[in-house]
Amino acid sequence: MNYGYFDETNKEYVITRPDTPAPWANYLGSPEYGAIISNNAGGYSFVKSGANGRITRYIFNSEDKPGRYIYLRDNDNGDYWSASWQPVGKDLAVYKNECHHGTAYTNIKAEYKDIETEALYYVPLNKTYEVWRLKVTNSSDKVRNISTFGFIEFTNENNYENDQVNLQYTLFITRTYFKENKILQTINENTGKNADGTNFRERFFGCVGAPVVSYNGDKDSFLGRYRSYGNPKAVEEGKCDNVLNYNSNGCGALHSVLELQPGETKEIVYVLGQYNDEQSSEILDSYSDLSIVEKELAQLKGYWHGKLGNLQINTPSKEFNSMINTWNAYQCFITFIWSRAASFIYCGLRNGYGYRDTVQDIQGIIHLDPDMAAEKIRFMLSAQVDNGGGLPLVKFNHNAGKEDTPDDMSYVQATGHPAYRADDALWLFPTILKYIAETGNKAFLDEVVLYANGGEGSVYDHLQRAIRFSMERMGDHNMPAGLHADWNDCLRLGKKGESTFVALQLYYAMTILRGFAEVKGDAEYIGYLNKVQEELGNTIQTICWEGDRYIRGIKEDGQVIGSKKDPEANMWLNPQSWAVISGLATKEQAETALESVHRELNTPYGVRVMAPSYVDHAFDGALAILFNPSTKENGGIFSQPQGWIILAEALMGHGNRAFEYFMESSPAAQNDNADTRILEPYVHGQFTEATESPFEGRSHVHWLTGTASTVMVGCVEGILGMRPDADGLLVAPSIPSDWKEMTINKKFRGKDLQILVKNPDGAQSGCKEFYINGEKLDRNYIPANKLKDNNEVVLIM
Ligand code: GLC
């Protein structure tokens, strides 16, 4: 069963049935002014922080209510409905609804009894308020009298927890006022003004395009006693009672009346934001020419489609195309920008960037916007401590050079992170490598960046210190210590326990840094790296390889984790994929380990992070046991590692297997299986429940997940084989053998590449012939100096 389809041309996902298995969401704006909206207009808005800057109310973990509601009422017969299916929820046999989620806008179209509506929601580019544009069309052949009610439920406090629980306080601090075309809400009104004279805790909900004939600033007056969003008294009666809140919950409700001739369309623009009386009037006035909405929408699309346009592909798989061209790419930007700040699952409480999360998120957008990536890389480098480790949590108000570290109680108290993690700074290596490879900007290595706690150094110096951080924290077997955790938050190997994953990351980091040391002509450091890398490689091979798999690590007390002898969790995914990605595994080991993964961890919905789940034999420190079997880190199909296993298979030239893993875990490929997957078919979630769950195939934790970037990298670098280095571009696709042809349009260092891949013999990888602009090259590598403004590239596999 499906609930919608991908509209590739408009870069939209169109939901044709509103009764989706979960609220299917979209992101509007940015964390400066952020709005999350579901296909039923549920969701919330905030300024700067989902937890501390909340301006509208949303009840988490419940019924996707309330939201940005626009009610309509036929004044001739009293029948009413809403522009989104919910909250009124008319019978779908007579009420038609289509939600178009696009790039930073959502347009909900409805049709009921010959009245057509469109409710377009967006945050204009670089603005910090939101716009709802309602279009109402009379498609009947008689005059219609329609009432419209725009409604938003304000929080009583910017801190959403206070708003929900500290009622003895928050119920008594707000008031609303009605002014001509808006409801203005004040908080702690008596406390005076900001230095610039504004009262920053004023919010407004206003409208342009039709006069307001009645209003409410008091939620209960609008809804009526013992009623809810689905049947507000004001809408039922066709009139608000003009009551404003005082010691009760506030809202903004604006009622207008439209008389529509047959075929006529009228528009109303609603605007919501956190601005005072004067500012909000200016904002509302700027919409007096309603056509500005179309301009702003075009601007938004131009901005986003421009970014996504830097890589556009056409392959035989429509699922692959939709994800790479639009949705995975868009999700990469959303996770990059929003981190884990706010969704329907993240309630806004995270007050910063997770070090590893953000450094990984950056990888997803490097091929689409390397400058945006570079800025964030600098920022994350400035959150590296001078001992080389990363701050586990980088506060949103991070003050480079002046921060405390996990060695200080103050940091621990402020962030809740008690200690360094073993992997954080090691993510910098692949991220910086990808940035330099995409841009050719080797000078980046010499840029000077502050350390979090003071001092500064070149990027090259930052990376050397990251290596030193690991080298100075070795366990008994000379592998990097597990510290508080590695990538897997649930793995407490003990401070001196040792992690195979981190060891492989360190091994790979050394390869990358050796490349940079060569650029810098740093022979002495190269000598050092050669020596320690060889030792580390030997150690991993001796201690971690069990003949058909790499173990997951060794606990502080010597217990081996992830050995095939273990009754549970005897096979782990990441050490296998990373043995390949890091370049450590021999070809034979790689083939064997990847086969073991397929045999023991693969499911119809992707590859499990480990198996069997912990139930009876968890080691002390295996926090995964807290979760139900086949869930999250406890044997679930953790989505982020799918990208790594896709990449590993692709690097081995296994196009069929790489694509098999893509399809199993791809949201788009589950479009017709929506009642099983539950989550939006256009976004990755954090994990999917595996075999031991009664709900195998159900996915969770939408949108804000590192999966976006790892799968993107697995597909772009792996399957599509776009593998740049500082001097050029290797074109090495690993595709299913039944793909006969594909095209890749890629922007690379300001130049356009049209790459045509032909696969007449059904290969999975490899190159027979390679041409650029008609010239035959001896291998599938384009030296950067051969690039013209426009380039035709042909690869025959
Ligand atoms: C979550 C965390 C991420 C961690 C992963 C695995 O996605 O955000 O930091 O690496 O879980 O535990």
Side-chain angles (χ1 to χ4, degrees), residues 340 346 350 356-357 487-490 633 638 640 686:
R340 308 296 176 268
Y346 290 110
R350 284 223 194 169
R356 73 161 84 93
D357 290 355
W487 168 85
N488 189 324
D489 279 332
C490 296
E633 283 91 340
F638 218 88
Q640 210 186 345
Q686 186 200 61

Side-chain angles (χ1 to χ4, degrees), residues 18 35 99 124 206 259 298 302 312 318 341 374 425 427 432 443 475 505 516 518 590 609 655 729 765 778:
C99 170
E259 190 186 89
Q312 289 292 300
K318 60 183 192 328
W427 293 104
I432 292 176
Q505 281 189 283
F516 295 157
E518 279 160 11
V609 71
L729 177 67
S765 54
D778 59 1

Side-chain angles (χ1 to χ4, degrees), residues 170-185:
T170 54
L171 272 172
F172 313 110
I173 60 176
T174 82
R175 297 184 72 167
T176 40
Y177 296 90
F178 174 68
K179 306 220 169 178
E180 193 190 331
N181 60 349
K182 71 186 173 210
I183 294 285
L184 194 73
Q185 182 205 33

Side-chain angles (χ1 to χ4, degrees), residues 340 346 350 354-358 360 421 423-424 427 486-491 501 574 609 632-633 638 640-641 644 686 701 704-707:
R340 308 296 176 268
Y346 290 110
R350 284 223 194 169
Y355 200 92
R356 73 161 84 93
D357 290 355
T358 293
Q360 291 173 80
R421 299 182 302 200
D423 64 319
D424 278 328
W427 293 104
D486 68 3
W487 168 85
N488 189 324
D489 279 332
C490 296
L491 212 53
F501 191 174
N574 292 332
V609 71
K632 287 183 70 115
E633 283 91 340
F638 218 88
Q640 210 186 345
W644 298 324
Q686 186 200 61
V701 191
L704 304 182
T705 154
T707 315

